Amino acid sequence: MSESTTDTTGLTHQYSTQVATDLETNLKEQERISGDIAALQQQLGALQHDHSVLVNIQQALGVTQTTKEPTPSTETATVPSPRQKAKSAPRSKQTARKSTAAREGTTAKKSTAAQERTTPKKSTAKSESKTAQPTLVGLIRHHLTEQDEPRSAAEISAALGQAHPERDIKTKVVRVTLEGLVARSQAQRTKQGSSVFYTAPEAETTPAAEAQPEDTSS
C-alpha cells in the first residue's frame, strides 16, 4: 500500500508540474500573439491614414488616376457551387427551374427597358450636376483672385472650410496644392519672416501702343 501511494503521489506531482509549465508557455504565447496583432493593427491604421492623405493630395493636384482597392480575401469571396444539388434533382424540376428563370429574366429586361424609355433625361442631367463639385485647385485659385492681400495656407484653409463645410479641407493639403500652383506659375509666394503667404499671379498687360502698328504714312 505504501509503494502504490508513493507512486501515485509521484505521478500527481509530475503531471501538476507539466500542466503548470504548459500553462505558463500558453500564456506567454498568447501575450506574444496579442502583441503582434496590436502592432499589425497599428501599422494598418498608419497605412490607411497615409492612403487617405495621398488620395486628398491626388485630388488637390487634379490627378484623376484610379487607385486599386484592396482585394477581398479568398475566404469571403468563395461561393459554394450548387452543382451537386442540381445533379441530384430530377430532370423535370431542373427544366421547370430553367423555364421559370428564363421568364423572370425576360420580364426583368422588359421592365428595365420600359423604365429607361419613360425616365426623362432632365433627371439624369440634374443628378450629374449635383455630383459635380469644383476641385480644391479651382476653389483655391478663385479665393486668391478675390483677395487684395496675401493669405497664408492656414487662412485660406479656414476660409474655404467656412465656405464649404461639407468638405474636409485640411491645411496640409491646401499648402501642398498652393505649392503646386506656384510651380505652375498659377500663384505667387512671398515670405515675411518665417511666414509664407500666397497671392494670385499678376496679369501681364501689354500697352495698346505696342499692340498697334506704327503709322509710317507721314
Side-chain angles (χ1 to χ4, degrees):
M1 295 294 291
S2 61
E3 292 180 358
S4 61
T5 305
T6 303
D7 293 340
T8 303
T9 305
L11 289 173
T12 303
H13 178 71
Q14 182 179 357
Y15 286 142
S16 299
T17 304
Q18 184 65 34
V19 169
T21 303
D22 292 341
L23 283 174
E24 185 178 359
T25 303
N26 186 281
L27 290 175
K28 289 182 179 180
E29 189 68 13
Q30 289 184 24
E31 292 178 357
R32 183 185 67 81
I33 293 176
S34 298
D36 293 342
I37 292 175
L40 291 174
Q41 287 180 347
Q42 187 175 5
Q43 292 179 4
L44 178 61
L47 289 174
Q48 290 176 346
H49 175 71
D50 294 342
H51 179 267
S52 61
V53 172
L54 291 172
V55 170
N56 290 332
I57 294 175
Q58 189 181 56
Q59 293 177 355
L61 295 176
V63 181
T64 58
Q65 296 180 354
T66 58
T67 57
K68 294 182 178 180
E69 296 294 336
T71 57
S73 60
T74 56
E75 295 180 358
T76 58
T78 304
V79 178
S81 175
R83 292 182 179 178
Q84 295 179 355
K85 294 182 179 180
K87 290 181 179 178
S88 60
R91 292 185 179 180
S92 59
K93 292 183 179 181
Q94 292 180 2
T95 305
R97 290 177 182 175
K98 289 182 180 179
S99 60
T100 303
R103 289 196 300 270
E104 291 178 354
T106 305
T107 305
K109 289 181 180 179
K110 289 181 179 179
S111 62
T112 304
Q115 290 179 359
E116 291 179 353
R117 288 194 299 267
T118 56
T119 301
K121 296 182 179 179
K122 292 183 179 180
S123 60
T124 305
K126 290 182 180 179
S127 60
E128 292 179 355
S129 62
K130 289 182 180 179
T131 55
Q133 294 182 356
T135 61
L136 184 60
V137 177
L139 292 177
I140 293 176
R141 291 181 61 185
H142 181 70
H143 180 75
L144 290 177
T145 55
E146 293 182 344
Q147 303 303 316
D148 298 332
E149 298 179 355
R151 291 289 186 268
S152 64
E155 293 174 343
I156 296 173
S157 177
L160 293 179
Q162 293 179 357
H164 302 278
E166 73 280 358
R167 302 183 64 167
D168 185 14
I169 300 176
K170 298 181 179 180
T171 305
K172 183 178 180 181
V173 179
V174 172
R175 185 178 294 105
V176 173
T177 306
L178 287 167
E179 292 297 331
L181 292 175
V182 172
R184 297 197 297 267
S185 300
Q186 296 179 359
Q188 291 184 348
R189 177 179 56 190
T190 58
K191 192 172 183 181
Q192 299 179 5
S194 59
S195 301
V196 179
F197 297 91
Y198 301 89
T199 57
E202 296 180 356
E204 296 181 358
T205 57
T206 303
E210 296 180 0
Q212 297 178 354
E214 295 182 357
D215 187 5
T216 58
S217 60
S218 60

